[in-house]
Amino acid sequence: MTALPARRSVRQLRLRGVGEADLDALAHLDREAFPDEPYPYFVLRQLYDVYPRHLLVLDDGTALKGYVLVGTPPDATRSWILGLGITRDERGRGHGRRLMLEVLRRLRADRVREVCLTVDPANLPAIDLYASLGFTAEPDVRADYFGPGADRLIMRLTL
């Protein structure tokens, strides 16, 4: 009798808003998703305080596996995607798309007219995701957008 290959336990990922008790786990997730440039805890704390409605996570019941964070000013003319991160073990499974579709739905309901984001020009999977959602890239990469050597592509979506 041959042994069957070990199967990874698949947990359902629940999309939900963030609570204050989630901030440590969110900081951990952000460090995993962006090891070279994670948000400092205090910044995540303040972003949670300012933008709680548009800070969504994917939770498997034991850990956070993904998040999206959007900043929207009071006039709601333009929102910015401030972060979209998925743990390494969950990438490539459509979770980023799921988070983006939900947050875009909420932004439309809030009558936001435009959504912008920045992305590393070398991050082709992210660029492809955003383009598939209707975002278009500015023609030129913004050199040193986040400081020396931190170039970014700016993408926009009219809602």
Side-chain angles (χ1 to χ4, degrees), residues 38-97:
Y39 279 119
Y41 180 92
F42 78 92
V43 171
L44 285 173
R45 169 67 216 205
Q46 290 179 325
L47 290 170
Y48 161 76
D49 287 339
V50 176
Y51 304 116
R53 177 164 158 65
H54 299 136
L55 177 51
L56 306 174
V57 294
L58 291 173
D59 183 348
D60 76 355
T62 62
L64 300 183
K65 297 296 188 171
Y67 81 97
V68 64
L69 169 62
V70 179
T72 302
D75 69 3
T77 55
R78 176 184 297 143
S79 292
W80 281 85
I81 305 294
L82 302 175
L84 175 67
I86 307 296
T87 58
R88 284 189 277 292
D89 64 320
E90 292 292 344
R91 289 181 184 158
R93 298 176 183 204
H95 301 312
R97 175 176 301 283

Side-chain angles (χ1 to χ4, degrees), residues 93-138:
R93 298 176 183 204
H95 301 312
R97 175 176 301 283
R98 180 179 175 198
L99 285 163
M100 286 295 294
L101 287 171
E102 177 58 21
V103 85
L104 291 173
R105 184 192 69 74
R106 290 179 183 210
L107 293 171
R108 284 184 182 97
D110 291 345
R111 301 189 190 286
V112 171
R113 294 190 294 267
E114 182 180 48
V115 181
C116 300
L117 58 85
T118 67
V119 61
D120 182 333
N123 189 345
L124 298 181
I127 292 168
D128 289 346
L129 167 65
Y130 300 136
S132 76
L133 294 169
F135 283 82
T136 57
E138 289 187 353

